[in-house]
Amino acid sequence: MADGVAPTEAKWRYLQNVLNRRGPFTDPDWEPGMTTLETLANMKILGAGGLGCEILKNLALSGFKDIHVIDMDTIDVSNLNRQFLFRHSDVGRPKAEVAAQFVEKRVKGVKITPYCGKIQDKDEEYYMQFGMVVCGLDSIEARRWINAMLVGMVDEDSPDSLKPLIDGGTEGFKGQARVVLPTMTSCIECQLDMHAPRAAVPLCTLATIPRQPQHCIEWAHIIAWEEERKDITLDTDDPEHITWLYNKALSRAKEFNIPGVTYSMTQGVVKNIIPAIASTNAIVAASCCNEAFKIASNTNPPLGIPETSNYMMYTGDDSVYTYTFEHQKKDDCPVCGNLARKLDVSPKCTLGEFLEGMAERPEAQLKKPSIRTEAKSLYYQFPPSLEEQTRANLTKKLVELVGDGEEVVVSDPAFQQPFKFKLVFRD
């Protein structure tokens, strides 16, 4: 090999160039040398989600050698245009397994452990083993879950319990990368209002005059399921449930001569998955892995250090533009804060209307909320017996059930932690 570089070390040559010299932003206490490369190799790191192919490839080429990956999906034909670790012969196989095998074959010396399932399948002990978590998840609900898990793991007496969360997401030609240091910086729940909730479609449109394929899917999701399968809790990760919704939506679309309903669209609408573009995925994943490298190596200050920028926004639909800023930690964040979040509500609002609005509020976005005060239960979605007992409260006005300025606790089966709100009546 040229320049005397051993064949086994050739692929890390560019890392040696970075780690053997200081840079303009290097911490004064940082010492150049190959010790950092050993640190990268020994650090156990977790990657998960829809940006997985790009993230996995980048982590493996950045010196990380002990990588775990979680993904519950199997490979579909539609994935092949952008998820470059997959081939047509892989269709139907678990994504995590195929990606791990591909990268291990191409980057010798890297060990990748796949898990084919949901991030929610794993407990605190599992996540505690990693040095950091890099996520490219394709749903807001999954982001909120892993965020709450990592925040809840932090123990002030154990520095190793703080696991940096690096999150990337894309929406068409736009994307973002951010670093969350749990309990120290703004978390994903603090930033929830930056993710606008899905625009609500009037129920009358879904029920009588659908105009788009998405309307047919929402009809199957909201109306048909409740009418025909209300005793079964909808699991948007269950292929049988998605297939049922798809068939119902397709039948309704044919009835109204609406083309375009597909299985992948059904998944996207029901799970609120955002379409992906390969170039945007590559840029955002590179940014995420760059932050992982900086955190692990200390060669440069990463996003997320307190009092510095922790959020990078990328815009590629009109030239190429990036912008970084500090998203402030919120004291009333229901996950990392210690205060109840204030909500202005109308005294004329019924409990049922308030709970329906929780899905549309940027600071909440809860789908199946239950609510209680410190003194009493107001409404519970589950179990059926408790739902029946509290159902009558849905038609009552909030002023009949809650005092002005009183705190309520709202829970949702999709999230581990309850959310505290302080209701203030405004005309």
Side-chain angles (χ1 to χ4, degrees):
M1 186 65 63
D3 299 330
V5 180
T8 55
E9 299 178 351
K11 61 176 172 291
W12 310 124
R13 183 175 178 180
Y14 60 96
L15 286 176
Q16 295 171 8
N17 292 337
V18 171
L19 300 177
N20 280 325
R21 62 186 181 184
R22 294 184 179 276
F25 303 106
T26 305
D27 189 285
D29 296 330
W30 183 76
E31 292 294 334
M34 296 314 297
T35 303
T36 306
L37 189 58
E38 296 174 6
T39 301
L40 292 173
N42 294 328
M43 176 175 286
K44 189 176 290 188
I45 189 168
L46 175 67
L51 295 178
C53 285
E54 289 284 356
I55 288 176
L56 203 57
K57 175 260 297 181
N58 290 346
L59 290 177
L61 293 174
S62 296
F64 295 99
K65 293 186 178 181
D66 190 356
I67 306 170
H68 291 238
V69 59
I70 292 181
D71 199 303
M72 62 165 295
D73 290 337
T74 55
I75 299 167
D76 185 76
V77 173
S78 63
N79 301 140
L80 303 181
N81 71 326
R82 64 186 183 279
Q83 297 182 0
F84 54 87
L85 300 183
F86 308 141
R87 301 295 181 264
H88 197 278
S89 58
D90 297 322
V91 171
R93 295 182 61 195
K95 288 183 176 179
E97 181 182 299
V98 175
Q101 292 174 354
F102 193 105
V103 175
E104 280 187 336
K105 183 178 179 180
R106 292 292 294 271
V107 187
K108 301 298 183 182
V110 173
K111 178 186 176 183
I112 301 178
T113 305
Y115 173 71
C116 307
K118 298 187 288 187
I119 58 171
Q120 294 90 337
D121 293 343
K122 299 298 187 180
D123 57 13
E124 183 175 308
E125 183 179 357
Y126 174 81
Y127 290 105
M128 194 65 76
Q129 67 181 305
F130 301 108
M132 70 181 80
V133 178
V134 184
C135 284
L137 298 163
D138 57 9
S139 77
I140 294 173
E141 290 81 4
R143 284 187 173 91
R144 295 173 72 180
W145 190 92
I146 190 66
N147 174 73
M149 168 62 79
L150 297 183
V151 171
M153 283 167 44
V154 176
D155 181 352
E156 293 183 358
D157 297 326
S158 174
D160 289 340
S161 66
L162 192 152
K163 310 295 181 182
L165 171 61
I166 303 169
D167 174 70
T170 64
E171 181 177 1
F173 288 101
K174 299 179 181 180
Q176 91 280 332
R178 52 189 164 179
V179 175
V180 174
L181 301 179
T183 71
M184 293 177 61
T185 64
S186 166
C187 76
I188 288 177
E189 201 71 29
C190 293
Q191 303 165 12
L192 190 60
D193 53 3
M194 298 190 68
H195 298 273
R198 183 168 44 182
V201 180
L203 203 58
C204 59
T205 298
L206 301 180
T208 59
I209 48 170
R211 298 185 296 274
Q212 301 175 12
Q214 292 86 347
H215 293 170
C216 299
I217 296 169
E218 288 283 22
W219 170 85
H221 179 204
I222 297 172
I223 298 176
W225 186 277
E226 287 298 317
E227 290 179 349
E228 301 182 33
R229 307 187 78 177
K230 62 182 179 181
D231 295 331
I232 303 174
T233 301
L234 176 62
D235 182 357
T236 57
D237 293 323
D238 187 328
E240 189 275 327
H241 290 190
I242 296 295
T243 299
W244 189 92
L245 293 174
Y246 164 64
N247 289 331
K248 281 290 179 181
L250 186 62
S251 176
R252 186 166 179 81
K254 290 179 179 178
E255 180 183 347
F256 288 88
N257 297 316
I258 300 173
V261 173
T262 63
Y263 183 88
S264 60
M265 179 186 286
T266 303
Q267 279 186 308
V269 171
V270 172
K271 297 177 69 174
N272 198 16
I273 295 174
I274 298 166
I277 293 175
S279 58
T280 311
N281 283 3
I283 291 169
V284 171
S287 177
C288 290
C289 294
N290 191 36
E291 295 306 318
F293 179 81
K294 289 190 288 186
I295 291 174
S297 67
N298 291 318
T299 51
N300 276 279
L303 294 173
I305 293 177
E307 300 181 1
T308 64
S309 299
N310 58 7
Y311 200 113
M312 186 280 288
M313 299 183 68
Y314 164 75
T315 304
D317 54 352
D318 182 15
S319 72
V320 176
Y321 175 75
T322 61
Y323 171 69
T324 59
F325 66 96
E326 180 189 6
H327 194 288
Q328 297 286 339
K329 190 174 186 291
K330 295 181 179 179
D331 292 334
D332 61 354
C333 172
V335 171
C336 70
N338 50 23
L339 300 176
R341 178 166 292 180
K342 177 182 168 184
L343 283 185
D344 292 336
V345 295
S346 169
K348 299 177 182 178
C349 178
T350 66
L351 179 63
E353 292 169 341
F354 172 76
L355 292 179
E356 287 179 6
M358 294 300 287
E360 300 175 15
R361 287 181 176 271
E363 72 273 30
Q365 300 188 38
L366 305 178
K367 293 184 176 180
K368 294 186 177 181
S370 298
I371 184 170
R372 61 181 171 85
T373 65
E374 185 176 346
K376 58 185 177 181
S377 300
L378 301 182
Y379 178 72
Y380 275 87
Q381 301 265 3
F382 308 99
S385 58
L386 195 52
E387 192 280 333
E388 185 177 353
Q389 292 176 24
T390 56
R391 189 183 304 158
N393 287 337
L394 292 175
T395 58
K396 295 180 181 179
K397 294 182 178 179
L398 282 175
V399 290
E400 301 175 43
L401 303 168
V402 182
D404 188 18
E406 187 174 359
E407 291 186 10
V408 297
V409 177
V410 181
S411 58
D412 189 290
F415 306 105
Q416 286 186 313
Q417 82 294 334
F419 300 86
K420 291 183 180 180
F421 297 101
K422 181 178 181 180
L423 302 188
V424 177
F425 295 121
R426 303 285 190 194
D427 290 325

